[in-house]
Structure formats: structure tokens, C-alpha cells
């Protein structure tokens, strides 16, 4: 059983005007969602939810997240794998239910569990070089973190099945066309923060009026 004492620091939280940016930052740059990272992120998101300010989740220029650590998964027993699925679902539900709304700012690869994390966000902004997909079918795996439910809601059942069964990689232009992302921008984080700040400014103006 993994406990809170096993948390690792593989992410940071940056404060902007009325917006928080949670940046995934693993030592190897792939931002894999290990058990320890999933627990840490869940705890962080729940704590941040006490303040209703919006949240942006991002990675680095090459990886939003490569998903779960396959080496770690291969060593899990049946009960441990079941527990890990529950951990991932708890994280995705915390993100999905975040009171201020969460935007995924995606650059580089967003794969497997990383895509599940992006799907749990309220909206997604991708860089022109972003690549998204669920590669589990190529490895004999399927996500247990809610992606099989959230992806069809965005792109339709047929397109989602194609992505899952063929382990297809979707590049940013196609992701925008099929509805997987809401926008493509050179700097997804800057655009996400700007959009949120504009929205907050409009709300303040309406209150004043």
C-alpha cells in the first residue's frame, strides 16, 4: 500500500493573477504518472480546490505526460493493479470536479494516462506539435482511469474506438478537427492563462456594473 509519506516532488504550482499553473516536472522529463505522483497530484488538486481560482495543468515542451510507468505496472500484483486503477480514477474525478475549472495546456506527447488527465480537464489547448493518444492496445492494455468514458463524449464513439483499438497517435490539427482539443496555440500555457484572466476581468466588470 502506497501512503502519503511516499509522495515525490514531480510537479510545482505557479501563481498568476487569479490563476494557478500546476506544472508536471519529473527528473527524466517524461512526466510519467507513477503511483507516488498520482497520489501527490490528487492531494495537491484537492488542496487547491479549497480556493475556487481556476487551474492550468501543463508539462514541458516535449511531454505533457507519457502516462503511467509501464515498468511499475508490470510489477504490480492483481490487487495492486486494482488499487492503482482506483488511484487514477480518484485523481481524474478530482480534476473533473475542480470548482474553478481546469485547463490542460498540452505541448509534446500526451499519451495513455496523460491523455486521461487531459480528458478530465474542462478544456484543452494544444501546441502545434502536440501528439495525443492511447497506446495501450499496442501493449495489450486498456486504460482504467476513465478515458474510455470521457473520450467518446468528446470525439464520438466511432472515433474513440478507432483511437483505442489502433493505438493511433493524433497530431494537433486532427485533434482540433475531431474535437479532442478546443484550441491550438504556439504557447498553450500563456493562452490558457490569458483566456482565464480575461474571463475573470469580465466577471469583475459585470459585478461593478
Amino acid at each position: 500500500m502506497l501512503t502519503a509519506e511516499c509522495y515525490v516532488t514531480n510537479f510545482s504550482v505557479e501563481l498568476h493573477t487569479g490563476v494557478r499553473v500546476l506544472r508536471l516536472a519529473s527528473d527524466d522529463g517524461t512526466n510519467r504518472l507513477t503511483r507516488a505522483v498520482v497520489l501527490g497530484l490528487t492531494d495537491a488538486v484537492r488542496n487547491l480546490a479549497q480556493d475556487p481560482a481556476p487551474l492550468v495543468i501543463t508539462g514541458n515542451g516535449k511531454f505533457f505526460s507519457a502516462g503511467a510507468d509501464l515498468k511499475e505496472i508490470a510489477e504490480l500484483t492483481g490487487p495492486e493493479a486494482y488499487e492503482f486503477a482506483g488511484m487514477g480514477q480518484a485523481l481524474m474525478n478530482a480534476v473533473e470536479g475542480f470548482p474553478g475549472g481546469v485547463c490542460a495546456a498540452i505541448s509534446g506527447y500526451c499519451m495513455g494516462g496523460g491523455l486521461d488527465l487531459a480528458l478530465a480537464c474542462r478544456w484543452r489547448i494544444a501546441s502545434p506539435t502536440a501528439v495525443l493518444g492511447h497506446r495501450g492496445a499496442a501493449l495489450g492494455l486498456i486504460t482504467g482511469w476513465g478515458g474510455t468514458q470521457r473520450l467518446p463524449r468528446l470525439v464520438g464513439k466511432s472515433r474513440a474506438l478507432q483511437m483505442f483499438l489502433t493505438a493511433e497517435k493524433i497530431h494537433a490539427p486532427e485533434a482540433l478537427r475531431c474535437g479532442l482539443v478546443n484550441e491550438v496555440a504556439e504557447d498553450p500555457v500563456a493562452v490558457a492563462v490569458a483566456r482565464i484572466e480575461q474571463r475573470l476581468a469580465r466577471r469583475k466588470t459585470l459585478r461593478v456594473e
Side-chain angles (χ1 to χ4, degrees), residues 134 137 151 156-168 170 174:
H134 259 294
L151 184 61
K157 181 178 179 180
S158 177
R159 190 71 179 92
L161 279 172
Q162 180 179 341
M163 287 181 64
F164 282 127
L165 298 179
T166 65
E168 181 183 6
I170 302 293
E174 172 60 16

Side-chain angles (χ1 to χ4, degrees), residues 44-198:
V45 170
R46 286 173 175 168
N47 286 333
L48 290 169
Q50 296 177 32
D51 180 340
L55 180 66
V56 176
I57 297 179
T58 192
N60 55 55
K62 293 184 178 179
F63 285 92
F64 176 79
S65 173
D69 187 332
L70 297 180
K71 291 182 180 179
E72 184 180 70
I73 288 177
E75 296 175 355
L76 297 178
T77 64
E80 288 172 339
Y82 182 80
E83 180 188 36
F84 186 41
M87 289 177 187
Q89 290 169 14
L91 171 59
M92 306 312 161
N93 290 337
V95 170
E96 187 173 53
F98 193 81
V102 184
C103 176
I106 304 165
S107 293
Y109 287 94
C110 176
M111 311 301 290
L115 180 55
D116 286 333
L117 180 58
L119 290 171
C121 295
R122 194 168 297 178
W123 72 103
R124 289 149 294 282
I125 301 175
S127 73
T129 58
V131 181
L132 305 90
H134 259 294
R135 301 287 292 162
L139 305 168
L141 302 171
I142 189 66
T143 177
W145 289 355
T148 54
Q149 306 303 307
R150 294 186 178 97
L151 184 61
R153 295 172 193 161
L154 291 176
V155 304
K157 181 178 179 180
S158 177
R159 190 71 179 92
L161 279 172
Q162 180 179 341
M163 287 181 64
F164 282 127
L165 298 179
T166 65
E168 181 183 6
K169 293 179 182 178
I170 302 293
H171 293 264
E174 172 60 16
L176 179 63
R177 191 196 68 76
C178 72
L180 182 52
V181 301
N182 303 86
E183 187 174 351
V184 174
E186 288 292 340
D187 189 338
V189 175
V191 170
V193 170
R195 293 275 188 275
I196 293 170
E197 289 178 342
Q198 289 167 5

